[in-house]
C-alpha cells in the first residue's frame, strides 16, 4: 500500500474505531429508562464523533505541526486532496454503516414484518448530517488552522442556518421546512467543499490573515493590570490562574457565540409556530445541550494544548510545586465546566429543563464536573486537543452510561449488587484513580502508546476493584468471619415425636406433642426511611407468644376474624365473639393476640377431623370422609355486621365420603382422598396419584408444587398452567396438571417449605437444606428430568436439631428442638419491598443469618377472656 495512504489511514483510524464502537454499543444499551432530553445524548455523541473524524483529516496535520511538511511532499496537491477526501468519505460511510446496520438487523430479528420507515428516515438524516460535517470540517480547519475553533464553526454554522430558516418558514408545514432545509444545507455543503478545495490549493505555511483567535483586550486593561504588579508579587499563584484562564480563551469566545445563538433560539421559540413534536421543535427545545460540549473541550485543552504549544516543559520548571500547578489546572477545569455546563443552561432555560432547580444544580454539577474531570485526564496523555477529543468522548460515554445502568447488576440471575452502593464505592475509587494517573501524566513531557496502554489497564483494574468491593460489601462478606448462628438451648422436642408448625398468614401455630397449641405473630415494620433499612437490616418485630387454654388440641387455625380449633375428641371450637371489622376484612394475628377471646365448643358433634380456611368460609372434613363448608349464606349481607361463624351452620358439599384431609401446601389449598388422589379447593381433580407427605410451592414458569413422597424422596407432583378460554368473554383460567418428577437422589427428607424460587427441606438428621430454583429454569420441569435429578442442595445453617419448617412470603420459619422459632429471610421478597414502597433499595443485601422470633416454652400468657 502507498505510504501516503497508510499515513492518512492512521490519522483517521483511532477516531473511526471509537466511533464505530460507540455506534454498535448504542444498539445494545437500555435507553428505555432515559427520559426527556437524556434520550438525545447518544445521538449527540455519535454526531460529535463524526465531527472529530472529519476534523482529523487536516486537523491532525495542523495539530501535529506537519501541515507544512505535507505541502512540501513531492506529490501534487490535487492528488493529496483527492486521497484525503476519498478516505474521509469512506470513513464516514463505514461509521454510518456501523450505526445503522446493527439496528436494521436487530429490528428485522425482533420484528421481521415491522415498519422500517423510521430507520430509512434516519438514514436520510445521517447522510445529510455527514455531508454537512464533511464540508464544514474541511473548510474550517483550512481557514482557521485551529482545531478547537474549527470544531465550533463546524457545529454552529449549520445550526445558525437551520435556526434562521426555521424562523422564516411556516412552522405548520413540516414537510416543506424539511425539503427547504435539505436544499439549503446541501448548497452549504457543496459550497463548503469547493471553498475548502480553493483554500487547500492556495494554502501557505502561515495561517489565515486574520491571525489567531484570542480574546480582545479591553481599553485600559493593560494599565489596570500594571497597577496590580505589586499585588501579584505577593501572590505568585495569580499568574498561574491567569495563564489557565487565558489558555481557555477560545472556549470563552465560543461561549459568547453560543450566548448569542441561544438568545436567538429563545426568541424564535417564543415567536415561531411549529407543529407539535416536529423535528424543528425538538432541535430548538434541546439547543441548550450544546453547552455540554464546552466542559469536554475545556478539559481536553487543559494539558494537551500546553504540549502542542511547547510550554509544558517550561511550566514544570517554574519554582512552584507541581501539585500546586496541577491543582490550579484542575480547579479551572471544574470551575469552567460548571459555569458553561450548569450555570449557562440554567440561566437561559431555567425551570424548563428541570422543575426542581436545586435538583438540577446538584445533579448537573456532579455530572458536568465528571465530564470535565474525565476530559482533563485524557488531556494529560495527549499531544494536542484534537488527539484528546475522541478518547475523551469514549471515556465519557463508557463512564456515564455504565454508571447509569449500574444500580442493578445480575450474574446468571444472582445479583452482584443492587441499589446505590456501587456509586458510593465506584465513583470515589474511579475518580481517585483518574486523579492519580492524571497527576502522573501531567509531569511527563513525552507521551506515547505505553502511557495510553498503562493508563487503560489501571483504569480497568480500578473498575474491577470497585465492582469486587461493591459485591463483597453488598453480600456482607464480613459475616463470614463471625459465627453464623447462636447456640441453641437444651433439646425439649424430638423428631420421633415432633411438634407441628403451620403457617397462619402473619404468624404461626405450633402444636406440641402434649396437645398444647402456641400462637406466635411477627411483622415487618412499615416505616419508610428507617435508618436500619438504609443498610438492609431486616428487623422483624414480634409479639409475645400465647397458648390456647387447655390441651388435647388436634389442630387450630385462624379465620379472618376469629380462631377455629379441633380437639382430639373430635369437637369443633370457635371464638365466642368475632373481632370488629376494621379498615380491612382481615384482622392481623397481632390484633387477635392483643384482644383475646374465649374459644367455645360449636355444636355437640364429636366427629370433626380436619379444617382449613378458604376465605370467606372454612372447609371441614368429618371422620366419616364427608366434606363440609362453613360460611354465611350471603357474605355481603354480613360484611359490615359480622356476627361470627358460630352463628352459621355448616352444610355438606357433594355426596362423596372418601375425603381423607387437607394438604399443608403454603398458600395453595389441596384436598386428599383416601385413594391417594389430590383435588384443588374447588374440587377440581389433579391427574396423577402421587403418595405425597408434605408440599411446598416454587415459582418456575408455572406454579410448581414440590413435595415429599412417602418413601422420603423429593419430587414435583403438580404444576399449574394458565389457559386462555374463550366463551362469552376472553380470559384465563388456572389448571393443575399432575407431575411425578424426582429432584435429587436423597430419600431421607421429612418436611419441605418454600418461598418464591427457594425451597428448604428438612432431613431426618435435623439439618436444613436450601434448593435454588432460579429463573433460568423458566420452563416446565417435566421437560428435563436429568437436570433436576442431578441438582444438589446447599446446607442452610450449622445446627442439626431442627424439628419442623414452615413456608412464608419471602421467608421460611424453622422450629428448633429447644422450642425456639427462627426467621430465615429468602432472596426475593425483601428487595421487592423496597422497590414497591420506597423506590430505592438498601445499600447492603439482607443478612442471611436467622433471626430469633421467640421460644415456645418461654410463653407465659394464655388466651383468657376479655373481661
Amino acid at each position: 500500500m502507498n505510504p501516503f495512504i497508510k499515513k492518512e489511514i492512521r490519522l483517521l483510524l483511532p477516531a473511526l474505531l471509537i466511533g464505530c464502537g460507540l455506534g454498535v454499543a448504542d444498539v445494545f444499551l437500555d435507553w428505555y429508562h432515559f427520559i426527556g432530553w437524556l434520550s438525545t445524548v447518544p445521538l449527540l455523541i455519535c454526531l460529535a464523533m463524526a465531527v472529530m473524524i472529519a476534523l482529523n483529516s487536516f486537523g491532525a496535520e495542523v495539530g501535529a505541526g506537519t501541515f507544512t511538511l505535507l505541502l512540501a511532499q513531492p506529490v501534487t496537491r490535487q492528488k493529496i486532496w483527492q486521497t484525503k477526501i476519498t478516505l474521509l468519505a469512506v470513513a464516514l460511510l463505514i461509521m454510518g454503516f456501523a450505526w445503522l446496520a446493527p439496528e436494521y438487523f436487530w429490528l428485522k430479528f425482533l420484528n421481521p414484518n415491522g415498519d422500517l420507515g423510521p430507520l430509512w428516515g434516519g438514514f436520510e438524516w445521517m447522510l445529510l448530517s455527514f455531508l454537512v460535517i464533511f464540508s464544514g470540517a474541511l473548510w474550517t480547519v483550512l481557514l482557521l488552522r485551529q482545531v478547537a475553533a474549527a470544531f465550533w464553526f463546524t457545529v454552529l454554522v449549520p445550526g445558525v442556518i437551520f435556526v434562521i430558516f426555521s424562523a422564516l418558514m411556516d412552522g405548520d408545514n413540516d414537510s416543506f421546512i424539511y425539503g427547504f432545509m435539505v436544499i439549503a444545507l446541501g448548497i452549504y455543503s457543496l459550497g463548503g467543499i469547493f471553498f475548502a478545495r480553493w483554500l487547500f490549493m492556495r494554502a501557505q505555511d502561515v495561517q489565515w490573515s486574520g491571525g489567531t483567535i484570542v480574546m480582545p483586550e479591553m481599553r485600559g486593561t493593560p494599565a489596570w493590570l500594571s497597577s496590580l504588579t505589586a499585588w501579584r508579587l505577593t501572590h505568585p499563584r495569580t499568574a498561574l490562574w491567569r495563564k489557565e484562564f487565558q489558555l481557555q480563551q477560545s472556549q470563552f469566545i465560543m461561549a459568547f457565540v453560543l450566548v448569542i445563538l441561544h438568545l436567538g433560539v429563545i426568541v424564535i421559540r417564543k415567536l415561531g409556530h411549529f407543529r407539535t413534536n416536529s423535528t424543528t421543535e425538538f432541535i430548538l427545545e434541546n439547543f441548550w445541550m450544546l453547552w455540554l460540549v464546552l466542559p469536554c473541550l475545556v478539559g481536553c485543552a487543559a494539558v494537551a494544548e500546553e504540549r502542542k504549544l511547547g510550554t509544558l516543559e517550561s511550566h514544570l520548571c517554574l519554582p512552584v510545586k507541581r501539585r500546586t500547578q496541577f491543582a490550579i489546572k484542575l480547579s479551572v477545569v471544574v470551575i469552567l465546566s460548571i459555569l458553561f455546563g450548569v450555570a449557562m443552561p440554567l440561566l437561559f432555560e431555567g425551570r424548563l429543563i428541570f422543575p426542581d432547580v436545586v435538583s438540577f444544580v446538584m445533579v448537573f454539577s456532579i455530572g458536568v464536573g465528571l465530564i470535565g474531570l474525565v476530559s482533563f485526564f485524557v488531556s494529560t496523555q495527549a499531544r494536542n486537543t484534537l488527539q484528546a477529543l475522541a478518547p475523551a468522548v469514549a471515556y465519557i460515554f463508557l463512564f456515564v452510561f455504565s454508571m447509569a445502568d449500574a444500580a442493578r447488576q445480575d450474574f446468571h440471575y444472582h445479583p452482584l449488587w443492587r441499589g446505590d452502593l456501587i456509586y458510593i464505592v465506584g465513583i470515589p475509587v474511579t475518580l481517585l484513580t483518574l486523579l492519580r494517573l492524571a497527576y502522573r501524566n501531567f509531569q511527563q513531557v513525552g507521551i506515547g502508546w505505553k502511557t495510553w496502554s498503562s493508563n487503560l489497564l489501571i483504569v480497568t483494574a480500578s473498575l474491577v476493584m470497585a465492582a469486587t468491593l461493591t459485591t463483597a460489601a453488598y453480600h456482607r462478606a464480613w459475616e463470614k468471619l463471625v459465627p453464623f448462628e447462636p447456640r441453641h438451648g437444651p433439646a425439649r422436642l424430638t423428631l420421633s415425636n415432633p411438634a407441628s408448625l403451620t403457617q397462619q398468614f402473619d404468624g404461626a401455630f405450633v402444636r406440641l406433642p402434649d396437645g398444647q397449641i402456641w400462637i406466635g405473630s411477627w411483622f415487618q415494620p412499615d416505616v419508610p426511611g428507617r435508618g436500619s433499612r438504609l443498610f438492609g437490616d431486616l428487623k422483624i418485630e414480634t409479639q409475645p407468644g400465647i397458648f390456647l387454654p387447655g390441651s388435647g388440641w388436634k389442630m387450630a387455625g385462624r379465620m379472618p376474624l376469629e380462631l377455629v380449633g379441633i380437639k382430639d375428641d373430635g369437637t369443633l371450637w370457635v371464638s365466642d365473639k368475632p373481632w370488629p371489622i376494621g379498615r380491612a376484612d382481615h384482622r392481623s394475628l397481632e390484633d387477635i393476640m392483643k384482644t383475646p377471646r374465649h374459644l367455645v365448643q360449636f355444636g355437640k358433634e364429636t366427629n370433626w377431623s380436619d379444617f382449613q380456611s378458604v376465605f370467606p368460609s372454612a372447609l371441614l372434613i368429618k371422620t366419616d370422609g364427608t366434606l363440609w363448608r362453613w360460611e354465611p349464606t350471603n357474605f355481603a349481607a354480613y360484611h359490615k355486621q359480622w356476627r361470627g361463624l358460630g352463628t352459621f351452620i355448616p352444610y355438606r358439599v357433594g355426596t362423596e365420603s372418601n375425603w381423607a384431609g387437607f394438604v399443608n401446601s403454603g398458600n395453595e389449598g389441596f384436598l386428599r382422598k383416601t385413594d391417594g388422589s389430590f383435588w384443588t379447593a374447588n374440587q377440581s381433580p389433579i391427574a396423577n396419584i402421587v403418595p405425597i407427605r408434605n408440599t411446598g410451592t416454587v415459582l418456575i414458569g408455572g406454579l410448581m408444587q414440590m413435595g415429599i413422597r412417602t418413601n422420603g424422596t423429593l419430587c414435583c407432583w403438580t404444576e399449574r398452567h394458565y389457559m386462555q378460554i374463550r366463551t362469552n368473554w376472553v380470559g384465563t383460567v388456572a389448571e393443575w396438571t399432575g407431575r411425578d418428577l424426582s429432584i435429587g437422589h436423597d430419600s431421607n427428607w421429612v418436611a419441605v417449605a418454600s418461598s418464591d424460587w427457594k425451597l428448604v427441606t428438612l432431613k431426618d438428621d435435623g439439618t436444613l437444606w436450601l434448593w435454588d430454583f432460579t429463573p433460568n429454569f423458566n420452563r416446565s420441569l417435566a421437560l428435563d428430568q436429568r437436570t433436576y435429578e442431578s441438582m444438589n442442595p446447599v446446607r442452610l445453617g450449622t445446627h442439626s436439631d431442627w424439628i419442623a419448617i414452615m413456608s412464608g412470603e419471602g421467608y421460611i420459619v424453622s422450629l428448633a428442638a429447644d422450642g425456639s422459632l427462627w426467621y430465615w429471610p429468602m432472596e426475593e421478597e425483601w428487595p421487592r419491598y423496597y422497590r414497591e414502597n420506597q423506590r430505592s433499595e438498601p445499600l447492603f443485601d439482607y443478612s442471611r443469618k436467622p433471626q430469633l422470633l421467640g421460644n415456645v416454652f418461654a410463653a407465659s400468657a394464655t388466651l383468657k377472656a376479655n373481661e
Side-chain angles (χ1 to χ4, degrees):
M1 184 182 293
N2 191 315
F4 178 66
I5 296 178
K6 290 183 180 180
K7 189 263 298 183
E8 293 300 323
I9 293 176
R10 283 197 298 268
L11 289 179
L12 302 176
L13 189 59
L16 176 61
L17 292 178
I18 294 175
C20 293
L22 296 181
V24 173
D26 182 26
V27 180
F28 299 98
L29 290 176
D30 296 327
W31 300 119
Y32 61 87
H33 58 273
F34 293 117
I35 57 175
W37 58 266
L38 282 174
S39 60
T40 63
V41 173
L43 174 63
L44 292 179
I45 289 177
C46 291
L47 291 178
M49 288 305 307
V51 173
M52 293 171 194
I53 291 176
L55 290 175
N56 264 338
S57 183
F58 284 106
E61 305 275 9
V62 173
T66 60
F67 185 72
T68 301
L69 296 176
L70 177 67
L71 300 179
Q73 295 298 316
V75 182
T76 63
R77 293 196 179 186
Q78 180 66 27
K79 182 65 174 179
I80 296 174
W81 172 258
Q82 291 177 353
T83 303
K84 278 188 172 290
I85 64 171
T86 301
L87 292 177
L88 178 59
V90 171
L92 290 177
L93 289 176
I94 290 174
M95 189 165 63
F97 178 80
W99 291 349
L100 294 181
E103 292 197 19
Y104 171 79
F105 290 112
W106 189 260
L107 290 175
K108 293 295 288 184
F109 175 75
L110 292 180
N111 188 11
N113 300 321
D115 182 18
L116 297 178
L119 186 63
W120 294 121
F123 178 73
E124 295 174 0
W125 270 108
M126 185 201 71
L127 287 179
L128 180 61
S129 301
F130 279 10
L131 183 60
V132 171
I133 291 170
F134 179 85
S135 169
L138 291 176
W139 74 260
T140 53
V141 171
L142 291 171
L143 176 65
L144 303 176
R145 307 281 182 90
Q146 295 183 45
V147 177
F151 175 87
W152 281 110
F153 276 93
T154 302
V155 173
L156 294 180
V157 171
V160 171
I161 296 175
F162 181 86
V163 170
I164 292 175
F165 282 102
S166 296
L168 297 177
M169 298 294 102
D170 183 11
D172 293 329
N173 193 342
D174 203 36
S175 299
F176 177 74
I177 294 178
Y178 173 76
F180 199 87
M181 285 297 174
V182 171
I183 296 174
L185 293 177
I187 295 174
Y188 161 78
S189 301
L190 294 177
I193 293 174
F194 286 114
F195 181 51
R197 184 182 182 279
W198 183 86
L199 289 173
F200 180 70
M201 293 301 176
R202 290 161 178 78
Q204 303 297 325
D205 290 347
V206 295
Q207 52 198 39
W208 74 309
S209 58
T212 303
I213 298 178
V214 296
M215 295 180 64
E217 295 284 352
M218 297 178 61
R219 181 176 298 179
T221 301
W224 176 73
L225 291 176
S226 63
S227 65
L228 299 178
T229 303
W231 183 81
R232 289 201 306 271
L233 290 176
T234 58
H235 297 277
R237 294 186 181 87
T238 305
L240 292 176
W241 283 94
R242 182 187 177 194
K243 178 187 73 69
E244 293 303 325
F245 281 105
Q246 189 176 12
L247 187 66
Q248 304 289 347
Q249 56 188 343
S250 60
Q251 315 311 328
F252 282 101
I253 294 175
M254 293 302 107
F256 178 74
V257 176
L258 270 181
V259 168
I260 297 175
L261 292 177
H262 205 150
L263 290 174
V265 167
I266 292 175
V267 172
I268 292 174
R269 284 207 313 249
K270 295 293 184 182
L271 302 180
H273 301 282
F274 306 101
R275 187 168 59 85
T276 304
N277 298 326
S278 64
T279 303
T280 306
E281 182 187 52
F282 176 80
I283 294 177
L284 293 178
E285 288 182 351
N286 292 278
F287 179 85
W288 67 272
M289 292 193 67
L290 281 176
W291 287 103
L292 299 180
V293 180
L294 275 172
C296 181
L297 290 176
V298 168
C300 288
V303 179
E305 200 66 17
E306 295 256 28
R307 284 202 179 94
K308 174 190 172 184
L309 298 174
T311 60
L312 181 62
E313 186 173 358
S314 58
H315 187 277
L316 296 175
C317 295
L318 293 174
V320 182
K321 293 180 179 179
R322 292 185 178 182
R323 62 173 178 266
T324 301
Q325 302 176 39
F326 179 80
I328 291 175
K329 275 188 173 292
L330 181 61
S331 300
V332 170
V333 169
V334 173
I335 291 172
L336 293 183
S337 297
I338 295 177
L339 172 65
F340 294 142
V342 179
M344 300 307 294
L346 186 61
L347 176 65
F348 286 104
E349 299 293 343
R351 295 182 179 271
L352 293 178
I353 304 174
F354 271 125
D356 187 357
V357 175
V358 177
S359 174
F360 172 83
V361 172
M362 292 179 60
V363 174
F364 258 58
S365 295
I366 296 174
V368 170
L370 290 175
I371 291 176
L373 177 59
V374 173
S375 302
F376 177 79
F377 161 71
V378 176
S379 177
T380 61
Q381 51 186 343
R383 294 190 182 94
N384 53 69
T385 303
L386 180 62
Q387 190 184 48
L389 282 175
V393 172
Y395 269 99
I396 293 170
F397 183 92
L398 296 176
F399 184 78
V400 172
F401 290 103
S402 61
M403 288 292 103
D405 199 31
R408 183 182 177 91
Q409 292 296 321
D410 293 342
F411 181 75
H412 288 288
Y413 299 99
H414 294 282
L416 296 176
W417 62 78
R418 290 178 178 141
D420 298 331
L421 183 62
I422 181 61
Y423 304 122
I424 298 175
V425 176
I427 291 180
V429 169
T430 305
L431 292 186
L432 289 176
T433 303
L434 294 182
L435 288 175
R436 182 64 186 90
L437 291 175
Y439 181 65
R440 187 192 70 174
N441 299 335
F442 167 71
Q443 303 177 75
Q444 300 178 19
V445 178
I447 292 294
W449 280 109
K450 184 177 180 181
T451 303
W452 283 89
S453 59
S454 63
N455 286 343
L456 182 60
L457 181 62
I458 295 174
V459 170
T460 303
S462 70
L463 294 176
V464 173
M465 182 180 70
T468 303
L469 291 176
T470 303
T471 303
Y474 179 78
H475 291 286
R476 300 171 175 264
W478 60 85
E479 290 187 350
K480 305 294 183 181
L481 306 177
V482 296
F484 186 74
E485 295 178 81
R487 292 183 177 181
H488 292 176
R492 304 181 64 176
L493 299 171
T494 63
L495 274 173
S496 59
N497 188 20
S500 63
L501 177 63
T502 56
Q503 177 188 11
Q504 293 293 330
F505 299 98
D506 49 1
F509 282 50
V510 179
R511 181 188 180 276
L512 298 178
D514 61 0
Q516 293 189 84
I517 290 185
W518 178 89
I519 306 175
S521 175
W522 53 84
F523 64 98
Q524 300 171 1
D526 187 11
V527 185
R530 192 171 186 146
S532 62
R533 291 189 172 181
L534 178 65
F535 301 101
D537 294 330
L538 179 58
K539 301 299 183 183
I540 304 300
E541 296 188 8
T542 62
Q543 295 294 325
I546 60 175
F547 277 102
L548 288 180
S551 60
W553 292 102
K554 180 180 181 180
M555 61 179 302
R558 180 172 75 87
M559 290 293 291
L561 300 174
E562 52 217 311
L563 297 178
V564 176
I566 297 176
K567 286 195 172 185
D568 292 332
D569 59 5
T571 56
L572 181 63
W573 296 71
V574 67
S575 300
D576 60 341
K577 292 185 294 185
W579 283 264
I581 296 179
R583 291 175 296 177
D585 294 336
H586 295 270
R587 299 286 292 183
S588 69
L589 194 56
E590 174 197 5
D591 295 333
I592 293 176
M593 295 170 64
K594 286 181 178 179
T595 313
R597 296 288 193 271
H598 267 307
L599 266 72
V600 296
Q601 183 176 347
F602 175 81
K604 302 297 183 180
E605 295 180 279
T606 59
N607 59 347
W608 301 105
S609 65
D610 207 350
F611 149 80
Q612 183 158 333
S613 173
V614 183
F615 180 80
S617 63
L619 287 177
L620 301 166
I621 294 179
K622 289 187 176 182
T623 54
D624 59 3
T626 56
L627 181 64
W628 297 73
R629 185 179 292 274
W630 195 11
E631 66 177 355
T633 54
N634 186 358
F635 179 74
Y638 298 96
H639 182 71
K640 295 184 178 180
Q641 295 182 349
W642 180 253
R643 298 194 302 270
L645 278 176
T647 61
F648 304 100
I649 303 299
Y651 60 90
R652 185 174 176 178
V653 179
T655 59
E656 296 179 287
S657 58
N658 59 345
W659 297 106
F662 299 99
V663 176
N664 179 20
S665 58
N667 53 7
E668 290 290 339
F670 294 96
L671 295 90
R672 186 179 71 252
K673 286 187 175 182
T674 54
D675 61 2
S677 62
F678 288 92
W679 298 67
T680 61
N682 60 0
Q683 300 181 56
S684 298
I686 299 174
N688 67 330
I689 299 176
V690 181
I692 295 296
R693 209 162 53 204
N694 195 3
T695 69
T697 304
V698 175
L699 205 63
I700 307 177
L703 195 63
M704 310 296 180
Q705 288 288 336
M706 307 297 179
I708 298 174
R709 300 187 183 101
T710 53
N711 61 3
T713 56
L714 183 64
C715 70
C716 170
W717 65 280
T718 184
E719 177 183 4
R720 183 170 66 184
H721 296 279
Y722 289 96
M723 301 179 61
Q724 187 172 7
I725 60 174
R726 187 179 297 272
T727 53
N728 58 342
W729 60 277
V730 177
T732 58
V733 64
E735 180 183 56
W736 289 95
T737 57
R739 292 281 184 264
D740 190 7
L741 174 66
S742 297
I743 301 177
H745 297 285
D746 293 329
S747 59
N748 55 345
W749 305 111
V750 295
V752 59
S754 63
S755 175
D756 290 332
W757 292 290
K758 300 296 180 65
L759 193 72
V760 177
T761 50
L762 173 64
K763 275 188 177 182
D764 57 7
D765 59 1
T767 57
L768 295 179
W769 296 81
L770 176 65
W771 305 74
D772 189 4
F773 296 89
T774 50
N776 59 319
F777 291 97
N778 192 13
R779 60 184 183 272
S780 175
L781 290 175
L783 296 180
D784 197 349
Q785 171 74 54
R786 290 180 297 177
T787 298
Y788 294 96
E789 283 185 347
S790 61
M791 288 186 66
N792 294 310
V794 178
R795 176 80 178 270
L796 184 63
T798 57
H799 291 293
S800 57
D801 61 345
W802 302 108
I803 302 299
I805 53 177
M806 181 193 81
S807 301
E809 188 176 356
Y811 63 90
I812 67 109
V813 175
S814 60
L815 174 66
D818 64 349
S820 57
L821 285 169
W822 296 85
Y823 182 103
W824 297 82
M826 295 289 111
E827 187 173 3
E828 299 301 324
E829 184 64 23
W830 194 230
R832 186 189 305 128
Y833 174 84
Y834 282 97
R835 291 194 293 272
E836 294 178 354
N837 293 276
Q838 294 182 257
R839 298 183 180 180
S840 62
E841 298 183 14
L843 297 181
F844 302 106
D845 197 6
Y846 63 88
S847 175
R848 264 65 176 181
K849 290 186 174 183
Q851 299 183 34
L852 179 64
L853 295 175
N855 194 297
V856 174
F857 299 107
S860 58
T862 57
L863 194 58
K864 297 181 180 179
N866 189 17
E867 302 295 340

